[in-house]
Amino acid sequence: MNPVPRLSLNQETIKQWSLPELVEGCVKAGVTGVGLWREPVQRYGVQAAAELVRDAGLTVTSLCRGGFFTAIDPERRAAALADNRAAVDEAAALGTGTLVLVSGGLPAGSRDLFAARERVADALARLAPYAADHGVRLAIEPLHPMYAADRCVVSTLAQALDLATRFPADQVGVVVDTYHLWWDDTVAAQIARAGAGGRIAAFQLADWITPLPEGALLGRGQLGDGSVDFRWFRERVDATGYTGPIEVEIFNPDLWARDGAEVLTEIVGRYRELVL
Amino acid sequence: MNPVPRLSLNQETIKQWSLPELVEGCVKAGVTGVGLWREPVQRYGVQAAAELVRDAGLTVTSLCRGGFFTAIDPERRAAALADNRAAVDEAAALGTGTLVLVSGGLPAGSRDLFAARERVADALARLAPYAADHGVRLAIEPLHPMYAADRCVVSTLAQALDLATRFPADQVGVVVDTYHLWWDDTVAAQIARAGAGGRIAAFQLADWITPLPEGALLGRGQLGDGSVDFRWFRERVDATGYTGPIEVEIFNPDLWARDGAEVLTEIVGRYRELVL
Protein backbone atom coordinates (compact mmCIF):
# COMPACT_ATOMS: atom_id res chain seq x y z
CA MET A 1 0.00 0.00 0.00
CA ASN A 2 1.35 3.45 -0.90
CA PRO A 3 1.90 5.53 2.21
CA VAL A 4 -0.73 8.16 2.89
CA PRO A 5 1.16 11.45 3.21
CA ARG A 6 1.48 12.71 6.79
CA LEU A 7 -1.55 10.84 8.10
CA SER A 8 -1.37 9.56 11.66
CA LEU A 9 -4.11 7.51 13.30
CA ASN A 10 -4.79 8.29 16.91
CA GLN A 11 -5.37 5.00 18.66
CA GLU A 12 -8.57 6.12 20.38
CA THR A 13 -10.24 6.59 17.00
CA ILE A 14 -10.41 2.81 16.52
CA LYS A 15 -10.19 1.75 20.11
CA GLN A 16 -11.84 -1.60 19.35
CA TRP A 17 -8.42 -2.59 17.99
CA SER A 18 -5.73 -4.07 20.21
CA LEU A 19 -2.30 -2.58 19.83
CA PRO A 20 -1.13 -5.38 17.45
CA GLU A 21 -4.33 -4.95 15.42
CA LEU A 22 -3.71 -1.20 15.27
CA VAL A 23 -0.18 -1.69 14.00
CA GLU A 24 -1.21 -4.31 11.46
CA GLY A 25 -4.17 -2.24 10.30
CA CYS A 26 -2.08 0.89 9.81
CA VAL A 27 0.62 -0.96 7.89
CA LYS A 28 -2.00 -2.50 5.59
CA ALA A 29 -3.66 0.88 5.01
CA GLY A 30 -0.43 2.75 4.34
CA VAL A 31 -0.81 4.85 7.48
CA THR A 32 2.72 5.50 8.72
CA GLY A 33 2.03 7.26 12.02
CA VAL A 34 0.12 6.45 15.18
CA GLY A 35 -0.88 8.56 18.16
CA LEU A 36 -0.93 6.41 21.29
CA TRP A 37 -2.65 6.63 24.67
CA ARG A 38 -1.02 5.84 27.94
CA GLU A 39 -3.54 3.37 29.34
CA PRO A 40 -3.57 0.83 26.47
CA VAL A 41 0.19 1.19 26.10
CA GLN A 42 0.66 0.49 29.82
CA ARG A 43 -1.60 -2.55 29.60
CA TYR A 44 0.45 -3.93 26.70
CA GLY A 45 3.75 -2.92 28.28
CA VAL A 46 5.58 0.24 27.31
CA GLN A 47 8.74 -1.44 26.03
CA ALA A 48 6.79 -4.11 24.18
CA ALA A 49 4.60 -1.46 22.58
CA ALA A 50 7.64 0.55 21.56
CA GLU A 51 9.19 -2.49 19.91
CA LEU A 52 5.97 -3.52 18.20
CA VAL A 53 5.48 -0.11 16.63
CA ARG A 54 9.14 0.38 15.74
CA ASP A 55 9.47 -3.07 14.17
CA ALA A 56 6.49 -2.31 11.95
CA GLY A 57 8.17 0.87 10.73
CA LEU A 58 5.56 3.16 12.23
CA THR A 59 6.24 6.52 13.83
CA VAL A 60 4.63 7.45 17.16
CA THR A 61 3.49 11.00 16.50
CA SER A 62 2.22 11.78 20.01
CA LEU A 63 1.38 10.30 23.37
CA CYS A 64 -1.94 11.22 25.00
CA ARG A 65 -1.95 12.42 27.64
CA GLY A 66 -0.49 14.22 30.54
CA GLY A 67 -1.77 17.27 32.33
CA PHE A 68 -4.57 17.72 34.90
CA PHE A 69 -2.56 20.32 36.71
CA THR A 70 -5.29 22.40 38.35
CA ALA A 71 -5.62 20.79 41.78
CA ILE A 72 -5.08 23.10 44.75
CA ASP A 73 -4.18 20.44 47.31
CA PRO A 74 -0.37 20.09 47.52
CA GLU A 75 -0.45 16.29 47.66
CA ARG A 76 -2.60 16.11 44.56
CA ARG A 77 -0.31 18.54 42.81
CA ALA A 78 2.71 16.45 43.66
CA ALA A 79 0.95 13.32 42.49
CA ALA A 80 0.03 14.99 39.19
CA LEU A 81 3.62 16.03 38.63
CA ALA A 82 4.88 12.53 39.39
CA ASP A 83 2.36 11.06 37.00
CA ASN A 84 3.40 13.52 34.31
CA ARG A 85 7.06 12.64 34.75
CA ALA A 86 6.05 9.02 34.19
CA ALA A 87 4.21 10.10 31.04
CA VAL A 88 7.37 11.81 29.83
CA ASP A 89 9.32 8.62 30.44
CA GLU A 90 6.74 6.64 28.47
CA ALA A 91 6.81 9.12 25.59
CA ALA A 92 10.60 8.89 25.47
CA ALA A 93 10.45 5.09 25.53
CA LEU A 94 7.96 5.11 22.65
CA GLY A 95 10.22 7.39 20.65
CA THR A 96 7.80 10.30 20.37
CA GLY A 97 8.86 13.87 21.06
CA THR A 98 5.30 15.05 21.78
CA LEU A 99 3.37 14.62 25.02
CA VAL A 100 -0.16 16.03 24.73
CA LEU A 101 -1.38 17.83 27.87
CA VAL A 102 -4.97 18.42 28.91
CA SER A 103 -4.76 21.08 31.56
CA GLY A 104 -7.54 20.02 33.91
CA GLY A 105 -10.77 21.72 34.93
CA LEU A 106 -11.86 23.73 37.95
CA PRO A 107 -11.35 21.97 41.29
CA ALA A 108 -14.60 21.20 43.11
CA GLY A 109 -16.11 24.37 44.50
CA SER A 110 -13.69 26.71 42.75
CA ARG A 111 -14.84 29.42 40.34
CA ASP A 112 -11.47 30.99 39.65
CA LEU A 113 -10.38 30.18 36.11
CA PHE A 114 -7.52 32.66 36.29
CA ALA A 115 -5.94 31.01 39.32
CA ALA A 116 -6.43 27.57 37.76
CA ARG A 117 -4.56 28.66 34.64
CA GLU A 118 -1.71 29.97 36.78
CA ARG A 119 -1.46 26.57 38.46
CA VAL A 120 -1.12 25.06 34.98
CA ALA A 121 1.73 27.48 34.26
CA ASP A 122 3.36 26.56 37.54
CA ALA A 123 3.23 22.85 36.70
CA LEU A 124 4.62 23.50 33.21
CA ALA A 125 7.58 25.30 34.76
CA ARG A 126 8.35 22.24 36.85
CA LEU A 127 7.74 19.66 34.14
CA ALA A 128 9.21 21.26 31.00
CA PRO A 129 12.90 20.96 31.92
CA TYR A 130 12.42 17.32 32.88
CA ALA A 131 10.67 16.65 29.59
CA ALA A 132 13.34 18.49 27.63
CA ASP A 133 16.03 16.37 29.28
CA HIS A 134 14.21 13.34 27.88
CA GLY A 135 13.75 14.75 24.38
CA VAL A 136 10.03 15.33 24.87
CA ARG A 137 8.14 18.55 24.19
CA LEU A 138 4.98 19.35 26.15
CA ALA A 139 2.03 20.12 23.88
CA ILE A 140 -0.70 22.21 25.52
CA GLU A 141 -4.05 21.30 24.00
CA PRO A 142 -6.76 23.92 24.21
CA LEU A 143 -10.06 22.10 24.59
CA HIS A 144 -13.42 23.44 23.47
CA PRO A 145 -14.89 25.98 25.93
CA MET A 146 -17.64 23.49 26.81
CA TYR A 147 -14.98 21.56 28.76
CA ALA A 148 -13.68 24.55 30.74
CA ALA A 149 -15.33 23.51 34.01
CA ASP A 150 -14.65 19.80 34.17
CA ARG A 151 -11.71 19.06 31.93
CA CYS A 152 -9.57 21.92 30.66
CA VAL A 153 -9.36 25.55 31.69
CA VAL A 154 -7.36 26.34 28.55
CA SER A 155 -10.09 26.96 25.97
CA THR A 156 -8.55 28.83 23.06
CA LEU A 157 -5.40 28.66 20.99
CA ALA A 158 -4.59 32.18 22.19
CA GLN A 159 -4.68 31.02 25.82
CA ALA A 160 -2.55 27.99 25.04
CA LEU A 161 0.02 30.20 23.32
CA ASP A 162 -0.03 32.71 26.17
CA LEU A 163 0.98 29.81 28.41
CA ALA A 164 3.41 28.17 26.00
CA THR A 165 5.32 31.33 25.21
CA ARG A 166 6.42 31.64 28.83
CA PHE A 167 8.77 28.75 28.00
CA PRO A 168 11.28 27.95 25.26
CA ALA A 169 9.67 26.80 22.02
CA ASP A 170 11.56 23.51 22.05
CA GLN A 171 10.13 22.72 25.50
CA VAL A 172 6.47 23.73 25.24
CA GLY A 173 4.24 23.80 22.15
CA VAL A 174 0.52 23.66 21.42
CA VAL A 175 -1.94 21.31 19.78
CA VAL A 176 -4.10 22.61 16.95
CA ASP A 177 -7.23 20.43 17.00
CA THR A 178 -10.05 21.31 14.63
CA TYR A 179 -12.75 19.95 16.93
CA HIS A 180 -11.86 22.35 19.70
CA LEU A 181 -11.00 25.42 17.64
CA TRP A 182 -13.20 25.47 14.53
CA TRP A 183 -15.72 28.02 15.88
CA ASP A 184 -13.13 30.70 16.78
CA ASP A 185 -12.86 33.65 14.40
CA THR A 186 -9.38 34.43 15.71
CA VAL A 187 -8.00 30.94 15.00
CA ALA A 188 -6.34 31.83 11.69
CA ALA A 189 -4.36 34.61 13.36
CA GLN A 190 -3.48 32.34 16.29
CA ILE A 191 -2.35 29.51 13.99
CA ALA A 192 -0.07 32.03 12.27
CA ARG A 193 1.22 33.14 15.67
CA ALA A 194 1.81 29.53 16.73
CA GLY A 195 3.62 28.69 13.53
CA ALA A 196 5.77 31.81 13.56
CA GLY A 197 6.94 30.91 17.05
CA GLY A 198 7.63 27.29 16.16
CA ARG A 199 4.96 26.20 18.61
CA ILE A 200 2.81 23.77 16.60
CA ALA A 201 3.57 20.45 18.27
CA ALA A 202 0.60 18.54 16.88
CA PHE A 203 -2.21 18.99 14.38
CA GLN A 204 -5.29 16.90 15.05
CA LEU A 205 -8.54 16.43 13.14
CA ALA A 206 -12.09 15.59 14.07
CA ASP A 207 -15.35 16.98 12.77
CA TRP A 208 -18.00 18.86 14.76
CA ILE A 209 -21.39 17.17 14.67
CA THR A 210 -24.65 17.82 16.47
CA PRO A 211 -26.57 17.09 18.58
CA LEU A 212 -23.98 16.73 21.29
CA PRO A 213 -24.37 13.53 23.33
CA GLU A 214 -24.86 13.62 27.09
CA GLY A 215 -21.58 14.65 28.67
CA ALA A 216 -20.41 16.08 25.31
CA LEU A 217 -17.34 13.86 25.30
CA LEU A 218 -17.96 11.16 22.71
CA GLY A 219 -19.65 13.14 19.96
CA ARG A 220 -16.81 13.89 17.59
CA GLY A 221 -17.53 13.35 13.92
CA GLN A 222 -15.86 11.44 11.14
CA LEU A 223 -14.12 13.81 8.73
CA GLY A 224 -16.71 15.32 6.44
CA ASP A 225 -19.75 14.54 8.56
CA GLY A 226 -19.92 17.95 10.21
CA SER A 227 -19.15 21.65 10.18
CA VAL A 228 -15.36 21.78 9.94
CA ASP A 229 -13.61 23.01 6.82
CA PHE A 230 -10.53 20.77 7.04
CA ARG A 231 -8.71 22.05 3.99
CA TRP A 232 -9.04 25.61 5.30
CA PHE A 233 -7.34 24.51 8.53
CA ARG A 234 -4.66 22.39 6.85
CA GLU A 235 -3.73 25.19 4.49
CA ARG A 236 -3.38 27.66 7.33
CA VAL A 237 -1.28 25.29 9.41
CA ASP A 238 0.92 24.45 6.44
CA ALA A 239 1.30 28.13 5.54
CA THR A 240 3.27 28.58 8.76
CA GLY A 241 5.85 26.07 7.54
CA TYR A 242 4.49 23.13 9.54
CA THR A 243 5.27 19.89 7.72
CA GLY A 244 4.55 17.44 10.54
CA PRO A 245 2.00 14.71 10.97
CA ILE A 246 -1.75 15.21 10.68
CA GLU A 247 -3.40 13.06 13.30
CA VAL A 248 -7.01 11.92 13.14
CA GLU A 249 -8.47 11.67 16.64
CA ILE A 250 -12.18 10.93 16.79
CA PHE A 251 -14.13 9.79 19.86
CA ASN A 252 -17.35 8.28 18.55
CA PRO A 253 -19.16 5.11 19.65
CA ASP A 254 -20.52 4.64 16.13
CA LEU A 255 -16.99 4.25 14.79
CA TRP A 256 -16.05 1.97 17.68
CA ALA A 257 -18.96 -0.35 16.84
CA ARG A 258 -17.76 -0.89 13.27
CA ASP A 259 -15.04 -3.03 11.72
CA GLY A 260 -11.77 -1.26 12.37
CA ALA A 261 -10.30 -1.79 8.91
CA GLU A 262 -13.47 -0.43 7.32
CA VAL A 263 -13.30 2.67 9.52
CA LEU A 264 -9.65 3.25 8.63
CA THR A 265 -10.36 2.87 4.91
CA GLU A 266 -13.10 5.48 5.28
CA ILE A 267 -10.76 7.82 7.19
CA VAL A 268 -8.06 7.52 4.53
CA GLY A 269 -10.61 8.26 1.81
CA ARG A 270 -12.03 11.28 3.61
CA TYR A 271 -8.52 12.49 4.39
CA ARG A 272 -7.47 12.36 0.75
CA GLU A 273 -10.69 14.05 -0.35
CA LEU A 274 -11.11 16.73 2.33
CA VAL A 275 -7.73 17.44 3.89
CA LEU A 276 -4.90 17.07 1.36
CA MET B 1 -42.79 42.47 49.61
CA ASN B 2 -39.84 44.82 49.26
CA PRO B 3 -38.72 45.04 45.67
CA VAL B 4 -35.58 43.06 44.81
CA PRO B 5 -33.19 45.57 43.26
CA ARG B 6 -32.83 45.22 39.50
CA LEU B 7 -33.89 41.58 39.36
CA SER B 8 -35.86 40.46 36.32
CA LEU B 9 -37.24 36.96 35.90
CA ASN B 10 -37.04 35.54 32.42
CA GLN B 11 -40.27 33.70 31.79
CA GLU B 12 -38.58 30.55 30.50
CA THR B 13 -36.93 30.02 33.88
CA ILE B 14 -40.29 29.05 35.40
CA LYS B 15 -42.08 28.01 32.25
CA GLN B 16 -44.50 25.82 34.21
CA TRP B 17 -46.22 29.11 35.08
CA SER B 18 -48.87 30.63 32.86
CA LEU B 19 -48.48 34.32 32.12
CA PRO B 20 -50.96 35.34 34.88
CA GLU B 21 -49.17 33.03 37.32
CA LEU B 22 -45.85 34.57 36.32
CA VAL B 23 -47.14 38.08 36.94
CA GLU B 24 -48.73 37.16 40.25
CA GLY B 25 -45.66 35.24 41.37
CA CYS B 26 -43.31 38.09 40.56
CA VAL B 27 -45.47 40.65 42.34
CA LYS B 28 -45.62 38.45 45.43
CA ALA B 29 -41.84 37.92 45.41
CA GLY B 30 -40.99 41.59 44.89
CA VAL B 31 -39.55 40.92 41.43
CA THR B 32 -40.29 44.01 39.37
CA GLY B 33 -39.12 42.94 35.93
CA VAL B 34 -39.92 40.09 33.56
CA GLY B 35 -38.26 38.91 30.37
CA LEU B 36 -40.86 37.47 28.03
CA TRP B 37 -40.81 34.99 25.15
CA ARG B 38 -42.72 35.44 21.95
CA GLU B 39 -44.50 32.09 21.83
CA PRO B 40 -46.27 32.21 25.22
CA VAL B 41 -47.05 35.88 24.71
CA GLN B 42 -48.58 35.15 21.32
CA ARG B 43 -50.65 32.34 22.79
CA TYR B 44 -51.99 34.67 25.47
CA GLY B 45 -52.41 37.55 23.05
CA VAL B 46 -49.85 40.32 22.74
CA GLN B 47 -52.14 43.17 23.79
CA ALA B 48 -53.64 41.20 26.63
CA ALA B 49 -50.17 40.26 27.86
CA ALA B 50 -49.04 43.87 27.66
CA GLU B 51 -52.02 44.99 29.74
CA LEU B 52 -51.61 42.19 32.26
CA VAL B 53 -47.99 43.04 32.90
CA ARG B 54 -48.49 46.79 32.90
CA ASP B 55 -51.48 46.64 35.24
CA ALA B 56 -49.38 44.67 37.70
CA GLY B 57 -46.72 47.36 37.66
CA LEU B 58 -44.07 45.11 36.14
CA THR B 59 -41.48 46.16 33.58
CA VAL B 60 -40.81 44.02 30.53
CA THR B 61 -37.01 44.03 30.42
CA SER B 62 -36.61 42.08 27.16
CA LEU B 63 -38.39 40.03 24.56
CA CYS B 64 -36.83 36.74 23.43
CA ARG B 65 -36.26 36.33 20.65
CA GLY B 66 -35.64 37.37 17.11
CA GLY B 67 -32.79 36.45 14.84
CA PHE B 68 -32.00 33.27 12.86
CA PHE B 69 -30.56 35.30 10.05
CA THR B 70 -28.11 32.85 8.50
CA ALA B 71 -30.20 31.22 5.77
CA ILE B 72 -28.82 31.49 2.24
CA ASP B 73 -32.08 30.95 0.37
CA PRO B 74 -33.66 34.35 -0.49
CA GLU B 75 -37.18 33.28 0.41
CA ARG B 76 -36.06 32.06 3.81
CA ARG B 77 -34.15 35.26 4.35
CA ALA B 78 -37.21 37.34 3.50
CA ALA B 79 -39.33 35.21 5.83
CA ALA B 80 -36.83 35.68 8.66
CA LEU B 81 -36.87 39.44 8.19
CA ALA B 82 -40.66 39.53 8.16
CA ASP B 83 -40.77 37.46 11.33
CA ASN B 84 -38.26 39.77 12.99
CA ARG B 85 -40.31 42.84 12.07
CA ALA B 86 -43.24 41.13 13.78
CA ALA B 87 -41.03 40.54 16.81
CA VAL B 88 -40.18 44.24 16.86
CA ASP B 89 -43.88 45.08 16.78
CA GLU B 90 -44.51 42.71 19.67
CA ALA B 91 -41.65 44.18 21.69
CA ALA B 92 -43.02 47.68 21.13
CA ALA B 93 -46.51 46.56 22.14
CA LEU B 94 -45.12 45.02 25.33
CA GLY B 95 -43.30 48.23 26.13
CA THR B 96 -39.81 46.82 26.10
CA GLY B 97 -36.96 48.49 24.27
CA THR B 98 -34.89 45.31 23.98
CA LEU B 99 -35.34 42.52 21.44
CA VAL B 100 -32.87 39.69 22.03
CA LEU B 101 -31.47 38.17 18.83
CA VAL B 102 -30.00 34.70 18.40
CA SER B 103 -28.14 34.85 15.14
CA GLY B 104 -28.73 31.36 13.75
CA GLY B 105 -26.35 28.52 12.97
CA LEU B 106 -24.75 27.20 9.82
CA PRO B 107 -27.20 26.32 7.05
CA ALA B 108 -27.27 22.61 6.21
CA GLY B 109 -24.13 21.62 4.33
CA SER B 110 -22.36 24.94 4.87
CA ARG B 111 -19.00 25.19 6.64
CA ASP B 112 -18.48 28.92 6.16
CA LEU B 113 -18.85 30.71 9.50
CA PHE B 114 -17.49 33.94 8.10
CA ALA B 115 -20.12 34.17 5.37
CA ALA B 116 -22.84 33.26 7.87
CA ARG B 117 -21.78 36.10 10.14
CA GLU B 118 -21.89 38.51 7.21
CA ARG B 119 -25.47 37.43 6.50
CA VAL B 120 -26.27 38.31 10.12
CA ALA B 121 -24.77 41.76 9.56
CA ASP B 122 -26.80 42.17 6.39
CA ALA B 123 -30.03 41.33 8.22
CA LEU B 124 -29.16 43.71 11.05
CA ALA B 125 -28.73 46.51 8.52
CA ARG B 126 -32.24 45.87 7.24
CA LEU B 127 -33.88 45.40 10.60
CA ALA B 128 -32.21 48.01 12.83
CA PRO B 129 -33.83 51.12 11.30
CA TYR B 130 -37.27 49.50 11.48
CA ALA B 131 -36.68 48.59 15.11
CA ALA B 132 -35.41 52.06 15.94
CA ASP B 133 -38.54 53.58 14.42
CA HIS B 134 -40.50 51.49 16.93
CA GLY B 135 -38.34 52.37 19.92
CA VAL B 136 -36.74 48.93 20.04
CA ARG B 137 -33.04 48.19 20.18
CA LEU B 138 -31.69 44.93 18.76
CA ALA B 139 -29.59 42.99 21.27
CA ILE B 140 -27.14 40.54 19.71
CA GLU B 141 -26.64 37.62 22.05
CA PRO B 142 -23.39 35.70 21.70
CA LEU B 143 -24.13 32.06 22.48
CA HIS B 144 -21.61 29.59 23.86
CA PRO B 145 -19.30 28.20 21.15
CA MET B 146 -20.92 24.78 21.54
CA TYR B 147 -23.93 26.24 19.70
CA ALA B 148 -21.96 27.66 16.75
CA ALA B 149 -23.07 24.99 14.29
CA ASP B 150 -26.75 24.63 14.99
CA ARG B 151 -27.91 27.78 16.72
CA CYS B 152 -25.67 30.85 16.73
CA VAL B 153 -22.57 31.68 14.71
CA VAL B 154 -21.84 34.58 17.06
CA SER B 155 -19.89 32.90 19.86
CA THR B 156 -18.05 35.60 21.80
CA LEU B 157 -18.77 39.04 23.15
CA ALA B 158 -15.99 40.35 20.90
CA GLN B 159 -17.78 38.99 17.82
CA ALA B 160 -21.10 40.41 18.96
CA LEU B 161 -19.50 43.83 19.46
CA ASP B 162 -17.73 43.64 16.11
CA LEU B 163 -21.20 43.24 14.58
CA ALA B 164 -23.00 45.74 16.80
CA THR B 165 -20.50 48.52 16.30
CA ARG B 166 -21.28 48.65 12.61
CA PHE B 167 -24.54 50.31 13.69
CA PRO B 168 -25.50 53.18 15.99
CA ALA B 169 -25.41 52.27 19.68
CA ASP B 170 -29.06 53.20 20.17
CA GLN B 171 -30.03 50.73 17.42
CA VAL B 172 -27.91 47.67 18.13
CA GLY B 173 -26.52 46.44 21.45
CA VAL B 174 -25.34 43.16 22.92
CA VAL B 175 -26.42 40.71 25.61
CA VAL B 176 -23.98 39.80 28.35
CA ASP B 177 -25.03 36.33 29.53
CA THR B 178 -22.86 34.58 32.08
CA TYR B 179 -23.75 31.10 30.82
CA HIS B 180 -22.35 31.79 27.39
CA LEU B 181 -19.35 33.93 28.32
CA TRP B 182 -17.99 32.74 31.66
CA TRP B 183 -15.12 30.68 30.21
CA ASP B 184 -13.63 33.51 28.11
CA ASP B 185 -10.49 35.15 29.50
CA THR B 186 -11.12 38.22 27.35
CA VAL B 187 -14.62 38.82 28.69
CA ALA B 188 -13.66 41.48 31.24
CA ALA B 189 -12.05 43.56 28.50
CA GLN B 190 -15.01 43.01 26.20
CA ILE B 191 -17.52 43.97 28.91
CA ALA B 192 -15.56 47.19 29.38
CA ARG B 193 -15.61 47.76 25.62
CA ALA B 194 -19.34 47.10 25.48
CA GLY B 195 -20.05 49.42 28.35
CA ALA B 196 -17.84 52.21 27.07
CA GLY B 197 -19.74 52.13 23.79
CA GLY B 198 -23.13 52.09 25.47
CA ARG B 199 -23.80 48.66 23.99
CA ILE B 200 -24.97 46.60 26.98
CA ALA B 201 -28.63 46.02 26.17
CA ALA B 202 -29.20 43.16 28.58
CA PHE B 203 -27.40 41.34 31.36
CA GLN B 204 -28.51 37.75 31.93
CA LEU B 205 -27.55 35.14 34.50
CA ALA B 206 -27.42 31.38 34.55
CA ASP B 207 -24.85 29.05 36.06
CA TRP B 208 -22.68 26.54 34.21
CA ILE B 209 -23.18 22.99 35.44
CA THR B 210 -21.93 19.64 34.22
CA PRO B 211 -22.42 17.09 32.81
CA LEU B 212 -24.12 18.67 29.81
CA PRO B 213 -27.36 16.95 28.85
CA GLU B 214 -27.88 15.49 25.38
CA GLY B 215 -28.27 18.38 22.96
CA ALA B 216 -26.63 20.73 25.49
CA LEU B 217 -29.65 23.03 25.51
CA LEU B 218 -31.43 22.47 28.80
CA GLY B 219 -28.53 22.15 31.18
CA ARG B 220 -28.24 25.62 32.65
CA GLY B 221 -27.78 25.79 36.37
CA GLN B 222 -29.50 27.62 39.19
CA LEU B 223 -27.35 30.48 40.47
CA GLY B 224 -24.68 29.08 42.74
CA ASP B 225 -24.91 25.48 41.56
CA GLY B 226 -22.00 25.73 39.11
CA SER B 227 -18.81 27.42 38.00
CA VAL B 228 -19.84 31.02 37.42
CA ASP B 229 -18.60 33.82 39.68
CA PHE B 230 -21.68 36.05 39.45
CA ARG B 231 -20.44 38.88 41.61
CA TRP B 232 -17.30 39.12 39.47
CA PHE B 233 -19.51 39.54 36.40
CA ARG B 234 -21.96 41.95 38.01
CA GLU B 235 -19.19 44.18 39.30
CA ARG B 236 -17.57 44.35 35.88
CA VAL B 237 -20.84 45.13 34.16
CA ASP B 238 -21.72 47.77 36.74
CA ALA B 239 -18.23 49.31 36.50
CA THR B 240 -19.07 50.37 32.96
CA GLY B 241 -21.96 52.47 34.26
CA TYR B 242 -24.67 49.92 33.46
CA THR B 243 -27.56 50.31 35.89
CA GLY B 244 -30.18 48.27 34.05
CA PRO B 245 -32.00 45.07 34.90
CA ILE B 246 -30.30 41.80 35.79
CA GLU B 247 -32.31 39.02 34.24
CA VAL B 248 -32.21 35.41 35.42
CA GLU B 249 -32.69 33.04 32.49
CA ILE B 250 -32.25 29.36 33.28
CA PHE B 251 -33.33 26.44 31.10
CA ASN B 252 -33.45 23.43 33.37
CA PRO B 253 -36.07 20.65 33.58
CA ASP B 254 -35.36 20.21 37.29
CA LEU B 255 -36.54 23.76 37.94
CA TRP B 256 -39.55 23.26 35.66
CA ALA B 257 -40.63 20.21 37.66
CA ARG B 258 -40.79 22.15 40.92
CA ASP B 259 -43.29 24.56 42.42
CA GLY B 260 -42.80 27.88 40.67
CA ALA B 261 -43.06 30.04 43.78
CA GLU B 262 -40.49 27.88 45.55
CA VAL B 263 -38.12 28.22 42.59
CA LEU B 264 -38.52 31.98 42.54
CA THR B 265 -37.89 32.23 46.28
CA GLU B 266 -34.70 30.26 45.77
CA ILE B 267 -33.65 32.51 42.88
CA VAL B 268 -34.23 35.65 44.92
CA GLY B 269 -32.20 34.21 47.79
CA ARG B 270 -29.33 33.16 45.55
CA TYR B 271 -29.45 36.53 43.79
CA ARG B 272 -29.16 38.45 47.06
CA GLU B 273 -26.38 36.18 48.26
CA LEU B 274 -24.29 35.75 45.11
CA VAL B 275 -25.01 38.65 42.76
CA LEU B 276 -25.72 41.84 44.68
Side-chain angles (χ1 to χ4, degrees), chain B residues 175-186:
Chain B
V175 180
V176 176
D177 185 318
T178 60
Y179 186 78
H180 299 300
L181 304 175
W182 75 279
W183 59 271
D184 184 353
D185 63 342
T186 73

Side-chain angles (χ1 to χ4, degrees), chain A residues 111 117 159 183 185 212 215 224, chain B residues 111 159 183 185 212 215 224:
Chain A
R111 296 180 175 86
R117 290 176 188 133
Q159 287 176 358
W183 59 271
D185 64 342
L212 292 168
Chain B
R111 296 181 175 84
Q159 287 176 358
W183 59 271
D185 63 342
L212 292 168

Side-chain angles (χ1 to χ4, degrees), chain A residues 196-244:
Chain A
R199 298 281 176 175
I200 301 179
F203 178 33
Q204 296 184 325
L205 310 182
D207 213 338
W208 179 273
I209 55 174
T210 56
L212 292 168
E214 184 182 357
L217 197 58
L218 305 182
R220 303 192 191 185
Q222 168 69 289
L223 312 184
D225 284 356
S227 302
V228 174
D229 186 339
F230 290 101
R231 188 163 287 112
W232 183 96
F233 260 91
R234 200 266 302 154
E235 288 176 351
R236 270 147 194 83
V237 170
D238 283 359
T240 72
Y242 177 83
T243 57

Side-chain angles (χ1 to χ4, degrees), chain A residues 9-11 24 50 72-73 88 107 111 117 127 138 159 174 179 188 192 202 219 229 237 255 269:
Chain A
L9 176 67
N10 185 285
Q11 167 168 35
E24 187 189 350
I72 295 170
D73 174 70
V88 167
R111 296 180 175 86
R117 290 176 188 133
L127 189 63
L138 307 177
Q159 287 176 358
V174 298
Y179 186 77
D229 186 339
V237 170
L255 298 187

